[in-house]
Amino acid sequence: APANCRSPSVVDLSWSACPGATGYEVEVYAAGSDSPAFRQVTAGTFSHPPLSSLPAGELRWRVRALIGPTPAPWAAERSVTIAEAGIG
């Protein structure tokens, strides 16, 4: 299984810490979609709890740091493939 895939329907997202970040904004997109399937702001951490309830197939995700209320530019998108839809 890929390093960021714990089981076919659960995904762990992590990234390098950004100096001065007070939080991070994470978005996950289904392939071919411009609307996020998942979006959340996390406080002061550089990982995200495992995600479930995501659609099967290739997903794109991106993250950006928040420095106080100001968002930094988005990091390069990454992708992961979900073998089967989540049940959560």
Side-chain angles (χ1 to χ4, degrees), residues 4 6 9-10 14 16-17 20 22-23 30 32 35 38 42-43 53 61-62 69 76 78 86-87:
N4 61 347
R6 191 175 334 154
S9 61
V10 178
S14 62
S16 298
T22 55
S35 297
F38 175 85
T42 65
S53 300
W61 68 278
R62 64 185 187 168
R78 299 175 125 182
I87 57 173

Side-chain angles (χ1 to χ4, degrees), residues 14-19 21 24 45-47 61 63 65 75 78:
S14 62
W15 51 89
S16 298
C18 178
Y24 296 89
T45 183
F46 47 93
S47 65
W61 68 278
V63 62
R78 299 175 125 182

Side-chain angles (χ1 to χ4, degrees), residues 17-53:
C18 178
T22 55
Y24 296 89
E25 184 175 10
V26 180
E27 292 184 339
V28 178
Y29 295 82
S33 176
D34 291 330
S35 297
F38 175 85
R39 182 180 200 178
Q40 185 171 4
V41 173
T42 65
T45 183
F46 47 93
S47 65
H48 193 278
L51 299 175
S52 60
S53 300

Side-chain angles (χ1 to χ4, degrees), residues 46-85:
F46 47 93
S47 65
H48 193 278
L51 299 175
S52 60
S53 300
L54 293 173
E58 185 177 339
L59 302 175
R60 303 176 345 262
W61 68 278
R62 64 185 187 168
V63 62
R64 66 179 170 185
L66 301 174
I67 313 296
T70 306
W74 289 104
E77 283 189 356
R78 299 175 125 182
S79 65
V80 62
T81 300
I82 303 296
E84 56 189 62

